[in-house]
Structure formats: C-alpha cells, structure tokens
Amino acid sequence: MRQLGIGELARRVGMRPSALRYYESVGLLPSAERTAGRRIYPVATVRRIALIKMAQRAGFTLAEIRALLDTDGDRGAARQWRALAESKLPELDRFIRQTQMLRDAVADCLACGCMNFDKCGLLAEDGPGTAQPRG
C-alpha cells in the first residue's frame, strides 16, 4: 500500500502540515504511522480529507464531521449521515437566502451608481428611498 509523508499529503490536499497535525489531534484523521520520526499516512487519507473539506464547505462543524467519521462503515454511518445532512439543510437554506439578499444589495448599490456613500439613499438608516438629499 502506498503511503505519503505529511509534506506530500499536505501538497496533494492543499493544506499546511500543521493543519493535518491538528486534524489528527482532534480525531478527524487517525494517528499516523511514524517512520524515522516522520508521520506517514495511507494514500486513502487524501479521500478522507476531501470528505472533511466538503463537509466544512457545507457548514458542518469539526465536531459533527468527527462524529460522522467515527461511525463504522455500516448502516449506522448512513443513518447518521442522513440525520446530519437533513438537520443541516435548513441552515444552508437560510445561508443561501441571506447571501442572495447581500448579493442583491451589492447589485442595487452598483445600479444606483452614485458612489457617494454619505448621501446614497440605499444606505439611509431608514432604508432605501428615505434619505433626504443634502445640499
């Protein structure tokens, strides 16, 4: 079985070796074997890190990811993944709505074109259209 030193693994997954050591310390990665004092990981660790990164992008906490990874590869893992994913969907939907509102606000600001943040009606405390022109 092919193995990777921590530096090579870090390059492959686009992370720093210190982050990999942290993942190991919090239980996201199994303890690495040591050869001549160097951490050596199985090549399958690349796939595990890809899963961790995907879960992080989806908003899962490291504790949630660790709980998912701690399950055996049986039906319990599939059930746990389903439960975590279903509980995360409403949070992701809220994030998408909030992000869309921010995107719309930036687009409105660009469409306004005034580029005068002190006088722009879109930035008034009472909301768009309520700012009084200043002389």
Side-chain angles (χ1 to χ4, degrees), residues 4-76:
L4 304 171
I6 192 169
E8 185 179 352
L9 177 61
R11 279 189 297 283
R12 281 196 183 192
V13 299
M15 296 176 70
R16 294 177 182 224
S18 59
L20 297 175
R21 288 189 293 273
Y22 176 74
Y23 278 11
E24 187 178 327
S25 74
V26 298
L28 291 171
L29 295 179
S31 294
E33 291 181 29
R34 303 280 179 139
T35 301
R38 293 182 49 228
R39 285 179 165 85
I40 304 293
Y41 295 91
V43 75
T45 307
V46 172
R47 187 173 181 88
R48 185 176 180 108
I49 293 169
L51 172 64
I52 292 168
K53 286 179 154 187
M54 183 276 304
Q56 283 181 302
R57 284 192 309 272
F60 288 92
T61 66
L62 293 182
E64 290 169 330
I65 297 168
R66 186 177 57 243
L68 174 65
L69 294 173
D70 281 348
T71 58
D72 293 329
D74 61 4
R75 287 187 154 182

Side-chain angles (χ1 to χ4, degrees), residues 4 28 33 36 39 51 78 85 98 106 114 117 122 124 132:
L4 304 171
L28 291 171
E33 291 181 29
R39 285 179 165 85
L51 172 64
Q98 290 170 344
V106 169
C114 76
F117 300 123
L122 293 173
Q132 298 300 318

Side-chain angles (χ1 to χ4, degrees), residues 56 58 110 130:
Q56 283 181 302
L110 284 172
T130 59

Side-chain angles (χ1 to χ4, degrees), residues 55-111:
Q56 283 181 302
R57 284 192 309 272
F60 288 92
T61 66
L62 293 182
E64 290 169 330
I65 297 168
R66 186 177 57 243
L68 174 65
L69 294 173
D70 281 348
T71 58
D72 293 329
D74 61 4
R75 287 187 154 182
R79 264 194 314 276
Q80 184 167 357
W81 166 248
R82 178 173 291 284
L84 280 170
E86 286 175 349
S87 71
K88 191 59 67 175
L89 285 177
E91 182 181 324
L92 289 170
D93 288 339
R94 279 190 302 277
F95 176 76
I96 290 167
R97 282 192 304 275
Q98 290 170 344
T99 303
Q100 186 62 49
M101 288 175 18
L102 289 171
R103 187 235 175 262
D104 292 347
V106 169
D108 289 347
C109 193
L110 284 172

